[in-house]
Amino acid sequence: MGASLPHHAPVPERSSSGVRAAVGAPDELSDAQALDHAVAELVRRTRFPVAFGGLVLDGAIHVTSIHGARTHSLDGLVVEQARGLGGRALIEKRPRLAIDYRSARSITHDYDRAVLGEGIATLFAVPILVSGRARGVIYCGSWAEAPVGDVVARPAFAVADELSSELRIRDEVQRRLALARAMPGVSPALPAAAQEGLRETYAELRSISALVSDPAIRARLDRLEQRVAALSSDAVEPLAELDVRLSPREVDVLACAALGSTNAEIAATLDLKEGTVKSYLQSAMAKLDASTRHAAVVMARRAGILP
Protein backbone atom coordinates (compact mmCIF):
# COMPACT_ATOMS: atom_id res chain seq x y z
CA MET A 1 0.00 0.00 0.00
CA GLY A 2 1.15 3.54 -0.67
CA ALA A 3 1.76 6.16 1.97
CA SER A 4 -1.24 7.67 3.67
CA LEU A 5 -2.35 11.20 2.91
CA PRO A 6 -0.91 14.07 4.95
CA HIS A 7 -3.05 15.17 7.86
CA HIS A 8 -5.07 18.26 7.02
CA ALA A 9 -5.10 21.30 9.25
CA PRO A 10 -7.99 20.96 11.71
CA VAL A 11 -11.24 22.60 10.70
CA PRO A 12 -14.68 22.23 12.30
CA GLU A 13 -16.41 18.96 11.54
CA ARG A 14 -19.58 19.27 9.53
CA SER A 15 -22.68 17.32 8.62
CA SER A 16 -24.40 17.52 5.27
CA SER A 17 -27.61 19.51 5.27
CA GLY A 18 -28.53 18.37 1.77
CA VAL A 19 -30.92 15.80 3.19
CA ARG A 20 -33.28 18.59 4.23
CA ALA A 21 -34.09 19.34 0.61
CA ALA A 22 -35.18 15.77 0.06
CA VAL A 23 -37.81 15.58 2.78
CA GLY A 24 -41.45 16.54 2.66
CA ALA A 25 -43.75 17.18 5.59
CA PRO A 26 -42.04 16.88 9.00
CA ASP A 27 -44.33 14.00 10.00
CA GLU A 28 -43.42 11.94 6.94
CA LEU A 29 -40.00 10.43 7.36
CA SER A 30 -38.34 10.06 3.98
CA ASP A 31 -35.89 7.50 2.70
CA ALA A 32 -33.30 10.29 2.74
CA GLN A 33 -33.86 10.88 6.44
CA ALA A 34 -33.49 7.16 7.15
CA LEU A 35 -30.23 7.19 5.21
CA ASP A 36 -28.99 10.25 7.10
CA HIS A 37 -29.67 8.56 10.42
CA ALA A 38 -27.73 5.48 9.26
CA VAL A 39 -24.75 7.57 8.17
CA ALA A 40 -24.67 9.34 11.53
CA GLU A 41 -24.79 5.93 13.22
CA LEU A 42 -21.76 4.81 11.19
CA VAL A 43 -19.67 7.55 12.76
CA ARG A 44 -21.01 6.82 16.21
CA ARG A 45 -20.67 3.03 16.11
CA THR A 46 -17.53 2.45 14.04
CA ARG A 47 -15.53 5.39 15.43
CA PHE A 48 -14.35 6.15 11.89
CA PRO A 49 -14.31 9.96 11.72
CA VAL A 50 -16.14 10.50 8.43
CA ALA A 51 -19.13 8.75 6.87
CA PHE A 52 -21.32 9.45 3.89
CA GLY A 53 -23.89 7.68 1.76
CA GLY A 54 -26.47 7.87 -0.94
CA LEU A 55 -29.41 6.05 -2.47
CA VAL A 56 -29.64 4.89 -6.06
CA LEU A 57 -31.36 7.18 -8.54
CA ASP A 58 -31.28 6.47 -12.27
CA GLY A 59 -28.66 3.79 -11.74
CA ALA A 60 -26.19 5.98 -9.83
CA ILE A 61 -25.47 6.61 -6.14
CA HIS A 62 -26.39 10.18 -5.23
CA VAL A 63 -24.61 11.14 -2.01
CA THR A 64 -27.01 13.22 0.11
CA SER A 65 -25.71 12.62 3.61
CA ILE A 66 -22.23 13.40 4.96
CA HIS A 67 -21.16 13.36 8.60
CA GLY A 68 -17.79 14.31 10.07
CA ALA A 69 -16.25 15.75 6.90
CA ARG A 70 -13.74 18.60 7.20
CA THR A 71 -14.09 19.85 3.64
CA HIS A 72 -16.80 20.20 0.99
CA SER A 73 -15.10 17.77 -1.42
CA LEU A 74 -17.81 15.10 -1.09
CA ASP A 75 -20.73 17.48 -1.59
CA GLY A 76 -22.92 16.54 -4.55
CA LEU A 77 -20.96 13.37 -5.31
CA VAL A 78 -22.64 11.04 -7.82
CA VAL A 79 -21.12 7.57 -8.17
CA GLU A 80 -21.86 5.54 -11.28
CA GLN A 81 -22.29 1.77 -11.25
CA ALA A 82 -19.00 -0.18 -11.31
CA ARG A 83 -17.00 3.05 -10.86
CA GLY A 84 -14.97 3.73 -7.77
CA LEU A 85 -15.26 1.75 -4.55
CA GLY A 86 -18.97 2.37 -4.02
CA GLY A 87 -19.86 1.62 -7.63
CA ARG A 88 -18.15 -1.78 -7.29
CA ALA A 89 -19.95 -2.48 -4.01
CA LEU A 90 -23.22 -1.57 -5.71
CA ILE A 91 -23.01 -3.99 -8.65
CA GLU A 92 -21.26 -6.76 -6.70
CA LYS A 93 -23.73 -6.43 -3.82
CA ARG A 94 -20.99 -6.93 -1.27
CA PRO A 95 -18.77 -4.68 0.88
CA ARG A 96 -15.60 -3.26 -0.64
CA LEU A 97 -12.53 -2.01 1.21
CA ALA A 98 -9.55 0.14 0.22
CA ILE A 99 -7.06 0.41 3.08
CA ASP A 100 -4.90 2.74 0.97
CA TYR A 101 -7.42 4.35 -1.34
CA ARG A 102 -4.85 6.38 -3.26
CA SER A 103 -2.96 3.31 -4.50
CA ALA A 104 -5.85 0.82 -4.71
CA ARG A 105 -5.65 -1.07 -8.02
CA SER A 106 -8.92 -2.99 -7.87
CA ILE A 107 -11.09 0.08 -8.44
CA THR A 108 -11.32 2.95 -10.87
CA HIS A 109 -10.22 6.32 -9.57
CA ASP A 110 -12.96 8.48 -11.09
CA TYR A 111 -13.71 10.05 -7.71
CA ASP A 112 -10.22 10.73 -6.39
CA ARG A 113 -10.83 14.45 -6.40
CA ALA A 114 -13.73 14.03 -3.95
CA VAL A 115 -12.32 11.24 -1.77
CA LEU A 116 -8.69 12.35 -1.65
CA GLY A 117 -9.81 15.95 -1.45
CA GLU A 118 -11.40 15.10 1.89
CA GLY A 119 -8.11 13.50 2.92
CA ILE A 120 -9.53 9.99 3.17
CA ALA A 121 -6.93 7.23 3.19
CA THR A 122 -8.98 4.16 4.18
CA LEU A 123 -12.50 3.79 2.80
CA PHE A 124 -15.08 1.08 3.49
CA ALA A 125 -18.23 0.81 1.36
CA VAL A 126 -21.27 -1.30 2.28
CA PRO A 127 -24.22 -1.74 -0.10
CA ILE A 128 -27.80 -1.46 1.14
CA LEU A 129 -29.67 -4.49 -0.16
CA VAL A 130 -33.47 -4.47 -0.14
CA SER A 131 -35.18 -7.65 -1.34
CA GLY A 132 -32.02 -8.59 -3.24
CA ARG A 133 -31.72 -5.21 -4.96
CA ALA A 134 -28.98 -2.70 -4.18
CA ARG A 135 -30.72 0.52 -3.11
CA GLY A 136 -27.70 2.52 -2.05
CA VAL A 137 -24.27 2.51 -0.45
CA ILE A 138 -22.97 3.81 2.88
CA TYR A 139 -19.29 4.58 3.42
CA CYS A 140 -17.06 5.14 6.41
CA GLY A 141 -13.50 6.36 6.17
CA SER A 142 -10.47 7.56 8.05
CA TRP A 143 -7.86 10.19 7.28
CA ALA A 144 -5.04 7.72 7.96
CA GLU A 145 -4.62 4.10 6.89
CA ALA A 146 -6.59 1.95 9.32
CA PRO A 147 -7.41 -1.78 9.43
CA VAL A 148 -11.06 -2.73 9.13
CA GLY A 149 -11.67 -5.70 11.42
CA ASP A 150 -14.75 -6.75 13.36
CA VAL A 151 -14.65 -3.56 15.41
CA VAL A 152 -15.55 -1.59 12.28
CA ALA A 153 -17.14 -4.20 9.99
CA ARG A 154 -19.67 -5.66 12.41
CA PRO A 155 -21.33 -2.36 13.44
CA ALA A 156 -21.22 -1.16 9.83
CA PHE A 157 -23.06 -4.29 8.71
CA ALA A 158 -25.57 -3.82 11.53
CA VAL A 159 -26.28 -0.24 10.42
CA ALA A 160 -26.68 -1.41 6.81
CA ASP A 161 -29.08 -4.18 7.87
CA GLU A 162 -31.17 -1.76 9.93
CA LEU A 163 -31.43 0.67 7.02
CA SER A 164 -32.26 -2.18 4.65
CA SER A 165 -35.08 -3.34 6.94
CA GLU A 166 -36.49 0.15 7.25
CA LEU A 167 -36.44 0.76 3.49
CA ARG A 168 -38.05 -2.62 2.86
CA ILE A 169 -40.82 -1.81 5.31
CA ARG A 170 -41.28 1.66 3.84
CA ASP A 171 -41.55 0.13 0.37
CA GLU A 172 -44.26 -2.23 1.58
CA VAL A 173 -46.15 0.59 3.28
CA GLN A 174 -46.02 2.70 0.14
CA ARG A 175 -47.18 -0.27 -1.94
CA ARG A 176 -50.15 -0.75 0.39
CA LEU A 177 -50.96 2.95 0.28
CA ALA A 178 -50.88 2.93 -3.50
CA LEU A 179 -53.12 -0.13 -3.54
CA ALA A 180 -55.61 1.55 -1.21
CA ARG A 181 -55.69 4.73 -3.33
CA ALA A 182 -56.27 2.69 -6.48
CA MET A 183 -59.39 1.03 -5.06
CA PRO A 184 -62.63 1.84 -6.93
CA GLY A 185 -64.81 4.33 -5.07
CA VAL A 186 -67.79 1.98 -5.06
CA SER A 187 -66.58 0.07 -2.02
CA PRO A 188 -63.87 1.33 0.33
CA ALA A 189 -63.28 -2.13 1.80
CA LEU A 190 -59.94 -3.74 1.01
CA PRO A 191 -60.04 -7.14 -0.70
CA ALA A 192 -59.47 -10.04 1.68
CA ALA A 193 -56.03 -10.82 0.24
CA ALA A 194 -54.91 -7.20 0.57
CA GLN A 195 -56.25 -7.00 4.12
CA GLU A 196 -54.41 -10.17 5.09
CA GLY A 197 -51.21 -8.87 3.56
CA LEU A 198 -51.68 -5.65 5.50
CA ARG A 199 -51.98 -7.57 8.75
CA GLU A 200 -48.90 -9.66 7.95
CA THR A 201 -46.92 -6.47 7.30
CA TYR A 202 -48.09 -4.98 10.58
CA ALA A 203 -47.18 -8.12 12.54
CA GLU A 204 -43.74 -8.19 10.94
CA LEU A 205 -43.22 -4.54 11.81
CA ARG A 206 -44.09 -5.26 15.43
CA SER A 207 -41.71 -8.24 15.58
CA ILE A 208 -38.84 -6.22 14.09
CA SER A 209 -39.47 -3.29 16.42
CA ALA A 210 -39.43 -5.63 19.41
CA LEU A 211 -35.84 -6.60 18.60
CA VAL A 212 -34.54 -3.05 18.06
CA SER A 213 -32.93 -1.29 21.00
CA ASP A 214 -32.18 2.06 19.32
CA PRO A 215 -34.95 4.47 20.49
CA ALA A 216 -34.75 6.59 17.32
CA ILE A 217 -35.26 3.57 15.07
CA ARG A 218 -38.05 2.28 17.29
CA ALA A 219 -39.78 5.66 17.01
CA ARG A 220 -39.58 5.55 13.21
CA LEU A 221 -40.89 1.98 13.14
CA ASP A 222 -43.75 3.05 15.40
CA ARG A 223 -44.75 5.72 12.90
CA LEU A 224 -44.72 3.17 10.10
CA GLU A 225 -46.86 0.82 12.20
CA GLN A 226 -49.41 3.58 12.70
CA ARG A 227 -49.53 4.22 8.97
CA VAL A 228 -50.05 0.54 8.21
CA ALA A 229 -52.81 0.29 10.81
CA ALA A 230 -54.46 3.44 9.43
CA LEU A 231 -54.75 1.91 5.95
CA SER A 232 -57.68 -0.22 7.07
CA SER A 233 -59.42 2.47 9.12
CA ASP A 234 -61.55 3.65 6.17
CA ALA A 235 -62.43 0.10 5.20
CA VAL A 236 -64.28 -0.88 8.35
CA GLU A 237 -67.11 0.33 10.52
CA PRO A 238 -66.52 3.33 12.84
CA LEU A 239 -63.97 2.57 15.55
CA ALA A 240 -65.31 1.42 18.87
CA GLU A 241 -64.50 3.70 21.77
CA LEU A 242 -62.85 1.44 24.34
CA ASP A 243 -61.11 2.61 27.48
CA VAL A 244 -58.34 0.06 26.96
CA ARG A 245 -54.58 0.46 26.97
CA LEU A 246 -52.60 -2.59 25.88
CA SER A 247 -48.89 -2.86 26.56
CA PRO A 248 -46.54 -3.00 23.54
CA ARG A 249 -45.91 -6.70 24.14
CA GLU A 250 -49.63 -7.43 24.36
CA VAL A 251 -50.08 -5.75 20.97
CA ASP A 252 -47.13 -7.73 19.57
CA VAL A 253 -48.66 -11.02 20.70
CA LEU A 254 -52.15 -10.11 19.46
CA ALA A 255 -50.76 -9.05 16.07
CA CYS A 256 -49.21 -12.50 15.67
CA ALA A 257 -52.32 -14.23 17.00
CA ALA A 258 -54.35 -12.34 14.39
CA LEU A 259 -52.41 -14.26 11.73
CA GLY A 260 -53.43 -17.58 13.27
CA SER A 261 -50.05 -18.27 14.88
CA THR A 262 -49.91 -20.72 17.77
CA ASN A 263 -48.39 -19.78 21.12
CA ALA A 264 -45.24 -21.68 20.18
CA GLU A 265 -44.98 -19.84 16.84
CA ILE A 266 -45.54 -16.48 18.50
CA ALA A 267 -42.87 -17.31 21.08
CA ALA A 268 -40.38 -18.14 18.32
CA THR A 269 -41.22 -14.97 16.36
CA LEU A 270 -40.91 -12.62 19.35
CA ASP A 271 -38.13 -14.50 21.12
CA LEU A 272 -40.28 -15.13 24.19
CA LYS A 273 -41.10 -18.18 26.28
CA GLU A 274 -44.35 -19.90 25.41
CA GLY A 275 -45.64 -19.36 28.95
CA THR A 276 -44.91 -15.63 28.62
CA VAL A 277 -46.89 -15.48 25.39
CA LYS A 278 -49.85 -17.18 27.11
CA SER A 279 -49.65 -14.65 29.94
CA TYR A 280 -49.67 -11.68 27.54
CA LEU A 281 -52.62 -13.16 25.65
CA GLN A 282 -54.62 -13.70 28.83
CA SER A 283 -53.90 -10.15 29.97
CA ALA A 284 -54.97 -8.69 26.61
CA MET A 285 -58.13 -10.81 26.61
CA ALA A 286 -59.01 -9.59 30.10
CA LYS A 287 -58.49 -5.95 29.17
CA LEU A 288 -60.60 -6.36 26.02
CA ASP A 289 -63.26 -8.35 27.89
CA ALA A 290 -62.85 -11.21 25.43
CA SER A 291 -63.23 -14.89 26.23
CA THR A 292 -61.07 -16.15 23.34
CA ARG A 293 -58.03 -14.93 21.45
CA HIS A 294 -60.17 -14.61 18.32
CA ALA A 295 -62.62 -12.36 20.16
CA ALA A 296 -59.69 -10.32 21.52
CA VAL A 297 -58.37 -9.80 17.99
CA VAL A 298 -61.82 -8.72 16.79
CA MET A 299 -62.17 -6.22 19.64
CA ALA A 300 -58.64 -4.88 19.05
CA ARG A 301 -59.49 -4.30 15.39
CA ARG A 302 -62.74 -2.56 16.24
CA ALA A 303 -60.79 -0.27 18.57
CA GLY A 304 -58.19 0.49 15.90
CA ILE A 305 -55.42 -1.21 17.86
CA LEU A 306 -54.84 -3.78 15.11
CA PRO A 307 -55.37 -3.44 11.36
Side-chain angles (χ1 to χ4, degrees):
M1 294 292 181
S4 59
L5 294 171
H7 191 76
H8 284 198
V11 296
E13 292 187 356
R14 49 182 292 275
S15 295
S16 171
S17 58
V19 68
R20 297 197 190 100
V23 302
D27 291 338
E28 295 185 359
L29 292 167
S30 69
D31 291 352
Q33 284 178 304
L35 170 74
D36 189 58
H37 177 82
V39 171
E41 283 295 291
L42 273 183
V43 173
R44 187 178 72 83
R45 297 192 204 177
T46 66
R47 305 302 182 185
F48 265 38
V50 59
F52 56 100
L55 299 174
V56 174
L57 177 64
D58 297 328
I61 305 162
H62 292 251
V63 173
T64 58
S65 178
I66 306 167
H67 285 261
R70 301 177 297 185
T71 74
H72 291 274
S73 295
L74 298 168
D75 289 4
L77 179 62
V78 177
V79 179
E80 300 292 337
Q81 293 186 43
R83 314 304 294 179
L85 193 72
R88 287 288 299 274
L90 186 71
I91 63 166
E92 294 177 4
K93 298 181 181 179
R94 65 184 181 91
R96 298 287 303 186
L97 168 67
I99 294 180
D100 182 357
Y101 183 92
R102 182 190 289 276
S103 63
R105 296 182 179 181
S106 61
I107 61 172
T108 68
H109 284 269
D110 302 65
Y111 311 107
D112 283 7
R113 183 171 182 177
V115 176
L116 299 180
E118 172 54 33
I120 293 173
T122 294
L123 188 62
F124 187 42
V126 182
I128 305 302
L129 303 179
V130 181
S131 301
R133 183 165 60 98
R135 286 281 302 276
V137 174
I138 53 177
Y139 304 76
C140 55
S142 66
W143 298 304
E145 289 181 32
V148 177
D150 282 350
V151 173
V152 172
R154 188 172 298 172
F157 294 156
V159 170
D161 287 344
E162 290 165 7
L163 178 56
S164 174
S165 293
E166 181 163 353
L167 292 178
R168 177 170 55 82
I169 292 166
R170 291 181 60 79
D171 287 349
E172 181 63 15
V173 170
Q174 291 304 318
R175 189 178 76 82
R176 299 290 178 186
L177 284 170
L179 180 65
R181 295 190 187 105
M183 293 294 172
V186 177
S187 173
L190 289 172
Q195 186 76 352
E196 187 62 22
L198 187 69
R199 290 164 181 165
E200 290 175 358
T201 299
Y202 181 83
E204 184 177 7
L205 268 171
R206 296 290 309 183
S207 63
I208 292 173
S209 181
L211 301 175
V212 173
S213 58
D214 188 303
I217 295 176
R218 285 183 67 94
R220 295 208 302 274
L221 288 172
D222 182 62
R223 291 195 184 191
L224 289 175
E225 289 164 17
Q226 293 173 18
R227 291 180 66 185
V228 170
L231 287 179
S232 62
S233 63
D234 292 334
V236 296
E237 59 191 57
L239 297 179
E241 294 186 7
L242 299 178
D243 187 17
V244 172
R245 183 177 296 277
L246 300 183
S247 72
R249 271 310 197 190
E250 289 167 349
V251 176
D252 294 342
V253 169
L254 269 186
C256 292
L259 301 179
S261 300
T262 64
N263 286 358
E265 291 169 339
I266 296 173
T269 298
L270 299 178
D271 195 24
L272 297 172
K273 293 181 179 180
E274 192 170 342
T276 305
V277 169
K278 184 177 180 180
S279 177
Y280 281 129
L281 271 176
Q282 291 175 338
S283 176
M285 288 163 56
K287 290 180 179 180
L288 293 166
D289 194 21
S291 57
T292 66
R293 67 170 63 196
H294 175 71
V297 167
V298 171
M299 289 300 296
R301 285 174 178 163
R302 288 178 180 173
I305 298 172
L306 293 180

